Amino acid sequence: MSSHWRYGEFLLVILVVGAVAAKNTTEVEKNNPCKNKDTCRECIQTANCVWCKEPNFADDRCFPSNASSTCTSIENPVTKITEEINRPLTSGGKSKNSHENREIVQLMPQYIKLELRPNDVELVKVKYARALDYPVDLYYLMDLSESMTDDRDTLSELGNTLAETMRNLTSDFRLGFGSFTDKVIMPFTDNLTQRSKTDLFPRGTKYKCHEHNNCLSYRNIMALDADITNQFSSKVKNAKIAGNYDSPEGGLEAMMQAIVCRKEIGWREKARHLLVFSTDANFHTAGDGKLAGLIQPNDGKCHLDEDGAYTHAEQLDYPSIGQVKHTIEENAINVIFAVTHNVLDIYKTLSANINGSSYANLEGNSMNVVNLIREQYQQISSSIQMRDNATSDVKITYYSACRSAGPKVLTSKCDGLHVGEEVTFSINIRLISCPKDPRDWRQIIQIYPVGINESLIIDLKMLCGCECDAEVKTKSQYCSSQGNLVCGVCQCEDQFVGAQCQCSNTDMQESTDSSHNCHDNTTVIDCSGRGICSCGQCQCEKRSNEEVISGKYCQCDNFSCERHEQRLCSGPGHGKCECGQCTCNEGWQGKACECAVSTDSCRKSGDDKLCSGKGSCECGACKCQATAQGRYSGQYCETCPTCSNLCLELKDCVQCQMYNRGKFKDIKDCAANCTKVKTTPVDKVLEKSELVLGEKICESYDDDNCKYAFTFKENNGIYEVQAQKERECLPKVAMLKILFSVAGSILFIGLATLLLWKLITTMQDNREFRRFEKEQMMAQWNANGNPLYKQATLSFKNPTYSTQ
Ligand SMILES: *[C@@H]1O[C@H](CO)[C@@H](O)[C@H](O)[C@H]1NC(C)=O
Ligand SMILES: *[C@@H]1O[C@H](CO)[C@@H](O)[C@H](O)[C@H]1NC(C)=O
Ligand SMILES: *[C@@H]1O[C@H](CO)[C@@H](O)[C@H](O)[C@H]1NC(C)=O
Ligand SMILES: *[C@@H]1O[C@H](CO)[C@@H](O)[C@H](O)[C@H]1NC(C)=O
Ligand SMILES: *[C@@H]1O[C@H](CO)[C@@H](O)[C@H](O)[C@H]1NC(C)=O
Ligand SMILES: *[C@@H]1O[C@H](CO)[C@@H](O)[C@H](O)[C@H]1NC(C)=O
Ligand SMILES: *[C@@H]1O[C@H](CO)[C@@H](O)[C@H](O)[C@H]1NC(C)=O
Ligand SMILES: *[C@@H]1O[C@H](CO)[C@@H](O)[C@H](O)[C@H]1NC(C)=O
Ligand SMILES: *[C@@H]1O[C@H](CO)[C@@H](O)[C@H](O)[C@H]1NC(C)=O
Ligand SMILES: CC(=O)N[C@H]1CO[C@H](CO)[C@@H](O)[C@@H]1O
């Protein structure tokens, strides 16, 4: 019994000492991130670490790449570009009539094969230049409900001007036209009868939709064509106007068809695609179709018959905004919403949600449409925005100086580019983390300018694994034929343990082999007291799925890191616990990753000073100063409740500088004492509500009982005061006099009333008394004959009583 107790106590001691020892070793490992990586993969996923894949290697296999080592066979994949395709940019010069076979290159390079290690950054320079005469496809998609009749006529007249204007901008121009109204199904449109809303058809009469064959949700009237002389105008002029019931139209549905029917519309692969969407009404969106019993969602596929009419309008629902946005961006279309004033706000919002789209106000029956398109085209084509489709494991950041010669700034967008002008983007590609699935370690990433079908393809190989992982020696002799040799390390079969799988799991005897200690030379405690030493290998205690002890000597764990607000390393969003040390995610720092690196949270928007210049930014929060005037407080140190006594300090200076009076009336005094005050006169000081940040208002009275108000703000130690030119003085009055006279008159009136009352009552009493005396003299009665006296007894006679 007692020996058992001893053993328990002994274990406890070992545990305590072991824990302390573990703490000490982690201090050492602080500066070496390569320590305690047990596999090659883990090792090379750590920055600047290399792995020794030599079987007989006693030291740590994972060590910093710049450390000296005796290892002869090292696994150290390095980031590099292995292949690059650089077709030169198309220069400004051009051959007039060879549009067909001319290949325009606006982006360089076009292809890069990249091998990238985790945490490494590769810098790629991408050049973009606008080519002269870049092909332009313009498709005019017009709402042809009745209210747009005059717009149609205007467009038909302006057709040739539009073509000529665009030809002036690029010689390779194609124009197309399509119209839409709404689904021909109740409640949107009545196929059989249609009541006219305007004068197009006689008001109040019914016309038959199917007889005119003009009710159609969308029709491609003219595919994109280079030969547009007159053809466009006549086709637009003959386009049929149709009526429908409700105000929103099926515009999104039509747009979807106009985009996905690439062959039918004739969109070219290498061209700017402009789609002018012209309407005066709102649009129907996904779900509205249910009103007509259409429950099948829009499939985003092309359904046009040989006449260019949309065939599935009465079968599919309208597309959602998200669907349309996706389709637009996928097909690199620049949509221009040319809409009337009444719906401008709606399309402005829509446009804000679609990359590469713009909106403009259609005026006076589309009279301004040519200018509008030209302006929008110039705006679209003169700006470039780079985008990519990288997954979250890869972070791509763009830097460019754009057209200026200045330093590069973080931006993916440049504006105001002229034809032939070249801009360079420095693109940082960084592998943040390795995807779990090794199949995702090879990715194709596309970097492209929005709206242009050209891209830089990056064939990315993530160096997340080791090459030696593939060279497995099964049942290797080195591993006692009881395990596989991978990257110099034995992976033992189930029941075997030991660096060379030399021990059987069941055989729990301690190894006497001194080269296989379960501790390093700083301690004598095996496995840091947190595991069992078996055959020179530590088998660390198992705690739970969340808390794991690891390391060769069980010296590491992932649960004893710094905590912030009881969360390990401030929670998984901020960092993770690795071997007693918090490893912070990007953007966080501090012992427990509790501090944001960015100081944005210390800056009030619109203010360029941190903490209003009244404090320092620590850990993402303002630490406000205590100054002589008081302590600043608030999220941005913007307030100072006790600092209002500045009013008192400043008032004398304001008085002397503005009005030449007060304590420093003497000019010399004023100059000497008020060096930090600069007063400017204003007609009227600001109201409290008009004050800007840091400005304060003061009011004071001077010796003449005049009110003077001023506002001030501090600027680098100088108080900039704005004081009211004129003081506000009340007319002088003798307060005491008024006081006495009021009090006196109240006293006088009181006394007078009292006396009067006394007089009246006395007179009345006298009169009453005299009357009483007179009456008494006239009275002739004595006490027996009092006329008021009545006898107390009465006698009655009973009439039925008789004495007989
Ligand atoms: C931990 O290290 C310090 C000095 O670095 C040493 O004084 C202390 O004894 C060590 N503690 C243990 C338990 O080894
Ligand atoms: C190796 O590189 C790390 C980080 O770059 C540095 O801190 C360390 O001093 C270097 N060691 C040697 C031996 O050069
Ligand atoms: C096209 O350019 C020519 C010459 O620059 C000019 O004379 C003409 O007016 C322009 N046409 C339009 C429609 O802008
Ligand atoms: C409209 O009605 C006519 C005649 O009933 C029919 O032939 C036509 O298919 C209908 N159109 C639509 C779009 O339903
Ligand atoms: C972009 O060009 C490629 C060929 O270079 C083509 O396969 C692709 O369909 C084009 N995409 C668009 C949206 O035009
Ligand atoms: C445009 O694309 C960028 C990059 O994908 C995205 O961050 C941004 O939100 C998009 N803007 C709109 C309006 O969709
Ligand atoms: C990016 O786009 C390219 C081309 O469309 C595609 O092949 C690749 O799979 C995409 N990459 C990702 C990560 O989605
Ligand atoms: C422990 O071993 C390392 C090399 O493995 C050596 O550099 C170090 O000096 C040793 N420390 C002690 C205290 O013996
Ligand atoms: C500790 O590591 C294990 C295994 O990697 C993991 O499942 C667990 O979530 C980690 N715990 C913490 C607190 O990070
Ligand atoms: C209140 C105060 O500081 N007054 C000073 C103003 O300046 C004169 C010298 O010009 C000093 O003598 C006062 O003490």
Side-chain angles (χ1 to χ4, degrees):
M1 264 311 243
S2 75
S3 75
H4 271 109
W5 277 112
R6 288 267 159 77
Y7 182 60
E9 275 163 21
F10 176 66
L11 253 186
L12 197 72
V13 168
I14 285 202
L15 272 178
V16 169
V17 173
V20 174
K23 199 124 213 165
N24 257 13
T25 42
T26 56
E27 293 292 323
V28 176
E29 277 145 14
K30 206 180 200 167
N31 302 321
N32 185 358
C34 307
K35 271 257 163 94
N36 307 310
K37 305 290 180 211
D38 295 333
T39 64
C40 180
R41 195 174 280 187
E42 266 182 75
C43 179
I44 66 153
Q45 288 187 11
T46 314
N48 298 322
C49 294
V50 299
W51 177 262
C52 181
K53 58 182 175 185
E54 210 173 82
N56 285 303
F57 189 69
D59 281 345
D60 262 335
R61 284 181 187 280
C62 190
F63 51 86
S65 55
N66 59 359
S68 61
S69 170
T70 54
C71 184
T72 52
S73 179
I74 284 177
E75 182 86 16
N76 181 22
V78 288
T79 295
K80 59 175 178 283
I81 291 177
T82 55
E83 223 181 296
E84 198 166 343
I85 296 180
N86 273 314
R87 275 180 288 130
L89 297 174
T90 309
S91 58
K94 52 148 190 174
S95 47
K96 260 270 185 254
N97 39 17
S98 61
H99 295 321
E100 302 312 317
N101 40 26
R102 180 174 74 125
E103 213 214 335
I104 293 180
V105 179
Q106 297 189 111
L107 194 71
M108 188 180 86
Q110 294 84 30
Y111 177 87
I112 280 176
K113 196 165 184 170
L114 176 66
E115 296 184 353
L116 191 59
R117 242 183 96 154
N119 298 310
D120 268 4
V121 180
E122 180 65 31
L123 185 112
V124 177
K125 280 208 155 69
V126 174
K127 284 184 184 157
Y128 172 85
R130 267 180 80 184
L132 188 63
D133 282 335
Y134 193 69
V136 173
D137 289 346
L138 191 150
Y139 191 75
Y140 203 102
L141 183 59
M142 192 169 195
D143 178 353
L144 283 191
S145 55
E146 290 175 68
S147 50
M148 294 289 281
T149 314
D150 31 14
D151 297 79
R152 177 196 64 177
D153 298 342
T154 318
L155 181 64
S156 142
E157 281 158 28
L158 291 176
N160 286 339
T161 321
L162 175 62
E164 199 189 319
T165 308
M166 291 306 287
R167 284 260 160 73
N168 265 6
L169 298 172
T170 172
S171 64
D172 193 358
F173 174 67
R174 292 186 182 187
L175 185 60
F177 180 74
S179 74
F180 67 91
T181 39
D182 209 344
K183 290 181 186 297
V184 188
I185 189 168
M186 283 297 272
F188 311 119
T189 310
D190 188 350
N191 182 17
L192 296 179
T193 55
Q194 182 70 59
R195 201 179 287 277
S196 184
K197 279 186 280 193
T198 65
D199 291 336
L200 180 63
F201 307 102
R203 200 177 277 276
T205 61
K206 290 176 180 175
Y207 77 95
K208 295 193 168 56
C209 223
H210 65 277
E211 281 176 7
H212 293 76
N213 189 26
N214 51 5
C215 298
L216 200 59
S217 92
Y218 164 67
R219 188 195 292 278
N220 172 28
I221 295 173
M222 179 183 145
L224 289 165
D225 199 338
D227 176 27
I228 40 184
T229 336
N230 298 324
Q231 191 194 354
F232 180 77
S233 290
S234 66
K235 287 213 166 154
V236 171
K237 198 170 186 66
N238 294 333
K240 283 173 185 152
I241 295 282
N244 65 329
Y245 275 153
D246 61 347
S247 139
E249 315 287 8
L252 293 189
E253 184 177 53
M255 203 191 306
M256 184 65 122
Q257 291 302 309
I259 294 171
V260 295
C261 298
R262 287 170 57 180
K263 221 173 71 228
E264 290 79 356
I265 305 291
W267 294 111
R268 284 175 288 178
E269 278 176 5
K270 292 274 179 326
R272 266 234 188 244
H273 306 140
L274 303 184
L275 192 149
V276 180
F277 183 87
S278 158
T279 184
D280 63 350
N282 200 344
F283 52 83
H284 279 300
T285 174
D288 289 358
K290 285 195 185 126
L291 294 174
L294 308 178
I295 48 166
Q296 211 177 326
N298 196 288
D299 60 1
K301 294 206 178 84
C302 179
H303 303 285
L304 294 188
D305 63 13
E306 58 275 12
D307 284 343
Y310 181 36
T311 53
H312 280 47
E314 286 77 39
Q315 282 134 58
L316 302 179
D317 192 6
Y318 298 97
S320 71
I321 293 178
Q323 242 176 330
V324 172
K325 169 185 155 76
H326 180 76
T327 314
I328 289 175
E329 291 179 8
E330 192 180 48
N331 289 281
I333 306 271
N334 290 116
V335 179
I336 302 171
F337 294 103
V339 298
T340 50
H341 186 70
N342 56 323
V343 287
L344 192 63
D345 278 345
I346 298 167
Y347 287 94
K348 189 172 160 182
T349 318
L350 183 62
S351 164
N353 283 302
I354 298 175
N355 262 327
S357 72
S358 56
Y359 65 95
N361 193 358
L362 205 54
E363 279 159 8
N365 303 334
S366 298
M367 273 318 276
N368 66 337
V369 75
V370 174
N371 271 342
L372 181 153
I373 291 175
R374 195 190 57 216
E375 274 164 23
Q376 295 295 327
Y377 168 74
Q378 272 173 344
Q379 200 178 327
I380 288 168
S381 61
S382 69
S383 101
I384 175 190
Q385 182 173 16
M386 302 300 288
R387 282 185 64 182
D388 58 73
N389 67 348
T391 56
S392 61
D393 294 309
V394 183
K395 188 166 180 184
I396 299 186
T397 39
Y398 301 87
Y399 294 87
S400 180
C402 288
R403 302 177 58 215
S404 77
K408 292 196 166 74
V409 292
L410 181 70
T411 179
S412 62
K413 190 172 182 192
C414 291
D415 292 313
L417 296 187
H418 299 304
V419 168
E421 205 170 10
E422 204 174 279
V423 284
T424 306
F425 285 94
S426 293
I427 301 183
N428 282 352
I429 307 170
R430 182 195 193 97
L431 183 54
I432 301 173
S433 58
C434 288
K436 288 231 162 59
D437 187 348
R439 278 174 298 185
D440 293 335
W441 289 354
R442 177 113 190 257
Q443 282 187 3
I444 307 286
I445 294 174
Q446 202 185 11
I447 295 181
Y448 57 95
V450 176
I452 289 185
N453 188 8
E454 276 186 59
S455 61
L456 160 62
I457 300 288
I458 294 181
D459 186 346
L460 177 68
K461 184 177 167 197
M462 305 182 184
L463 299 173
C464 291
C466 295
E467 268 170 35
C468 58
D469 276 339
E471 306 157 5
V472 180
K473 288 206 189 96
T474 44
K475 299 252 178 210
S476 156
Q477 239 171 3
Y478 175 77
C479 300
S480 318
S481 303
Q482 281 154 349
N484 300 338
L485 183 63
V486 184
C487 288
V489 180
C490 286
Q491 287 178 346
C492 302
E493 283 163 19
D494 270 354
Q495 65 273 40
F496 297 101
V497 290
Q500 299 185 6
C501 308
Q502 70 275 45
C503 305
S504 163
N505 215 354
T506 47
D507 172 18
M508 288 301 278
Q509 273 172 5
E510 293 217 352
S511 166
T512 48
D513 184 353
S514 63
S515 72
H516 291 128
N517 279 330
C518 284
H519 53 79
D520 60 12
N521 56 4
T522 58
T523 172
V524 292
I525 297 154
D526 278 350
C527 303
S528 313
R530 302 199 289 185
I532 297 161
C533 181
S534 157
C535 196
Q537 286 229 306
C538 286
Q539 287 183 320
C540 303
E541 276 172 39
K542 296 245 177 326
R543 289 172 63 112
S544 67
N545 283 341
E546 270 306 293
E547 305 191 337
V548 172
I549 300 175
S550 60
K552 196 171 168 194
Y553 303 123
C554 305
Q555 72 276 44
C556 287
D557 63 57
N558 70 354
F559 53 86
S560 60
C561 288
E562 292 269 349
R563 282 164 192 267
H564 179 67
E565 286 171 354
Q566 318 216 325
R567 287 148 68 88
L568 196 64
C569 300
S570 307
H574 292 212
K576 58 177 190 282
C577 181
E578 277 182 353
C579 203
Q581 206 83 51
C582 287
T583 310
C584 300
N585 297 346
E586 215 180 293
W588 297 98
Q589 61 184 13
K591 275 210 157 121
C593 306
E594 73 277 26
C595 297
V597 173
S598 139
T599 53
D600 289 349
S601 54
C602 293
R603 204 188 302 270
K604 191 164 184 160
S605 57
D607 192 355
D608 58 345
K609 286 204 214 89
L610 284 180
C611 302
S612 316
K614 293 292 187 307
S616 55
C617 187
E618 282 174 25
C619 198
C622 281
K623 200 158 182 189
C624 302
Q625 290 168 351
T627 60
Q629 295 112 32
R631 175 172 278 286
Y632 285 86
S633 62
Q635 192 186 353
Y636 308 108
C637 302
E638 73 279 25
T639 59
C640 179
T642 55
C643 295
S644 54
N645 63 5
L646 271 172
C647 281
L648 289 180
E649 269 172 48
L650 292 176
K651 73 171 196 180
D652 290 326
C653 289
V654 174
Q655 242 184 323
C656 78
Q657 290 183 350
M658 273 304 292
Y659 316 114
N660 286 327
R661 53 191 303 128
K663 198 163 146 197
F664 304 138
K665 199 158 35 179
D666 192 88
I667 282 197
K668 261 190 249 140
D669 271 358
C670 190
N673 293 297
C674 301
T675 49
K676 288 192 166 174
V677 183
K678 217 178 118 237
T679 309
T680 44
V682 291
D683 285 335
K684 184 102 186 74
V685 291
L686 298 173
E687 292 290 322
K688 203 155 200 158
S689 55
E690 297 167 322
L691 296 181
V692 299
L693 177 73
E695 231 174 0
K696 285 215 173 60
I697 188 161
C698 302
E699 274 178 13
S700 192
Y701 288 89
D702 63 12
D703 300 340
D704 293 345
N705 257 321
C706 290
K707 190 172 102 172
Y708 58 101
F710 57 94
T711 62
F712 71 90
K713 64 168 183 267
E714 205 224 274
N715 187 5
N716 293 331
I718 301 289
Y719 294 101
E720 290 173 354
V721 178
Q722 295 200 317
Q724 198 158 303
K725 268 186 203 147
E726 297 295 330
R727 298 173 298 159
E728 289 169 28
C729 299
L730 291 171
K732 273 196 178 179
V733 274
M735 281 309 285
L736 215 62
K737 236 186 232 171
I738 293 177
L739 201 74
F740 275 127
S741 53
V742 169
S745 46
I746 288 173
L747 201 68
F748 174 75
I749 291 169
L751 279 176
T753 323
L754 267 176
L755 282 175
L756 199 66
W757 176 73
K758 185 74 192 157
L759 194 72
I760 290 169
T761 45
T762 317
M763 271 161 64
Q764 193 140 13
D765 284 353
N766 282 346
R767 213 171 38 232
E768 288 285 325
F769 182 66
R770 252 181 268 127
R771 205 175 66 198
F772 174 72
E773 271 185 336
K774 210 157 116 196
E775 273 174 12
Q776 210 169 34
M777 271 185 339
M778 279 158 62
Q780 296 300 318
W781 43 266
N782 54 28
N784 294 343
N786 187 350
L788 296 174
Y789 180 75
K790 274 200 177 125
Q791 208 155 0
T793 54
L794 291 173
S795 56
F796 288 93
K797 194 171 178 190
N798 186 351
T800 55
Y801 179 72
S802 156
T803 47
Q804 273 133 328

